[in-house]
Amino acid sequence: SPFDPLTSRWSPFTPGDHRLTDTWHHNRMFTPGGALLTFGGYGHHKYLNLIREWNPDSGRFTTVEYAGEFQPRYLAASAYNPQDSLFYILGGYGSKSGRQSMSPEYYYELLSYSLEKRQFSKVFDFQNTDAVLFTGHAESQIFPVLACHCLCPV
């Protein structure tokens, strides 16, 4: 159901032609401008690499075009950093083809997404490191220890 911040009320949910199980376990954020974006997800035996934006006028999500590499995944951690205006995605599970049956794997990388440029960049690859990652009790939280490990010399 859509939420209207002007009236502080939820609109009644009306089942339509959208499918509720298309994008489970996605990451999401509200942009500084108030738009709702979702990243990745899982549905119908497929991992997704979509970015979708909620359009309150139409009551539907639209797909956002982007540059850079974002492999299909779900169950990633994420956080927005207002100081550099980047959305960060850490790890996840998926497959390059997006198909659940085709070599799924864990991702050990930290990606950034620029809202302004609509572009992904790889910040760090944890594949062969001794990095210790701390995530919050709730999904989609990355604590400062990660940034310190990536940016501070040992």
Side-chain angles (χ1 to χ4, degrees), residues 45-65:
H45 305 283
K46 294 180 185 172
Y47 306 109
L48 305 171
N49 61 346
L50 299 174
I51 300 176
R52 297 172 14 126
E53 183 173 2
W54 177 253
N55 182 329
D57 295 330
S58 69
R60 298 188 183 280
F61 281 96
T62 56
T63 301
V64 175
E65 298 293 324

Side-chain angles (χ1 to χ4, degrees), residues 2 7 29 56 58 62 69 76 80 85 96-97 107 116 148 150:
T7 63
M29 73 167 293
S58 69
T62 56
E69 194 170 307
Y80 176 71
S85 299
K96 291 181 179 158
S97 70
Y107 292 110
E116 181 183 331
C148 183
C150 295

Side-chain angles (χ1 to χ4, degrees), residues 4-142:
D4 184 347
L6 299 176
T7 63
S8 297
R9 295 184 186 268
W10 290 94
S11 300
F13 175 73
T14 308
D17 61 351
H18 54 280
R19 297 169 60 182
L20 293 177
T21 59
D22 283 349
T23 56
W24 291 108
H25 307 290
H26 55 264
N27 291 91
R28 65 261 174 221
M29 73 167 293
F30 283 98
T31 67
L36 170 64
L37 296 178
T38 66
F39 294 79
Y42 174 82
H44 308 287
H45 305 283
K46 294 180 185 172
Y47 306 109
L48 305 171
N49 61 346
L50 299 174
I51 300 176
R52 297 172 14 126
E53 183 173 2
W54 177 253
N55 182 329
D57 295 330
S58 69
R60 298 188 183 280
F61 281 96
T62 56
T63 301
V64 175
E65 298 293 324
Y66 61 87
E69 194 170 307
F70 177 51
Q71 301 292 342
R73 70 187 70 205
Y74 79 135
L75 300 178
S78 62
Y80 176 71
N81 182 356
Q83 293 180 345
D84 62 9
S85 299
L86 295 174
F87 182 68
Y88 289 93
I89 296 177
L90 174 66
Y93 188 79
S95 71
K96 291 181 179 158
S97 70
R99 294 176 54 193
Q100 179 182 347
S101 61
M102 300 294 294
S103 304
E105 61 184 311
Y106 289 100
Y107 292 110
Y108 299 94
E109 62 191 4
L110 177 64
L111 303 174
S112 66
Y113 178 74
S114 168
L115 296 169
E116 181 183 331
K117 297 177 183 175
R118 294 186 175 193
Q119 180 174 349
F120 281 98
S121 299
K122 186 179 283 193
V123 177
F124 194 78
D125 190 348
F126 295 93
Q127 189 66 32
N128 294 308
T129 70
D130 60 354
V132 177
L133 306 179
F134 294 91
T135 59
H137 65 283
E139 90 179 48
S140 299
Q141 292 182 345
I142 302 173

